[in-house]
Amino acid sequence: MTQQIKIAILKIMKALQPALATEVRRLRRKLHIDQETLAERVGVTRSSISNIESSRQGVSLEMFFKLASALNQDPVRLLEAVRDSASSPVTKDDIKNPQILEIIQSTLNK
């Protein structure tokens, strides 16, 4: 993974953090699960889920995939949904970048 792609992914994750926090909370509630249950599914503490949902804690790419899986969401669609609800400079081209999608797919295949 090139440094440029790493920077692009970090930019996307940081820009989308507040919208991701809201979406994680919304999806968790839609599934009628508490923070403790989501934390167990993801492999973190309840406090970490609380911090993610309140946007006090950022989410790594790996954590993003774990959250998507635990919330029964396709990671690419979740990323697009978060982007669509975000008031950020992230564009569709940022997310559709073939190299970024390749990284997403390789992470999914691990």
Side-chain angles (χ1 to χ4, degrees), residues 1-17:
M1 180 180 342
T2 68
Q3 187 66 21
Q4 183 180 8
I5 294 299
K6 286 180 184 178
I7 291 169
I9 291 171
L10 289 174
K11 171 191 163 202
I12 290 168
M13 297 309 290
K14 183 172 179 141
L16 296 180
Q17 183 176 331

Side-chain angles (χ1 to χ4, degrees), residues 13-14 17 20 48 51-52 55-61 63 67:
M13 297 309 290
K14 183 172 179 141
Q17 183 176 331
L20 179 61
S48 287
N51 287 336
I52 289 167
S55 203
R56 289 187 304 255
Q57 178 177 327
V59 175
S60 68
L61 189 58
M63 177 58 70
L67 286 166

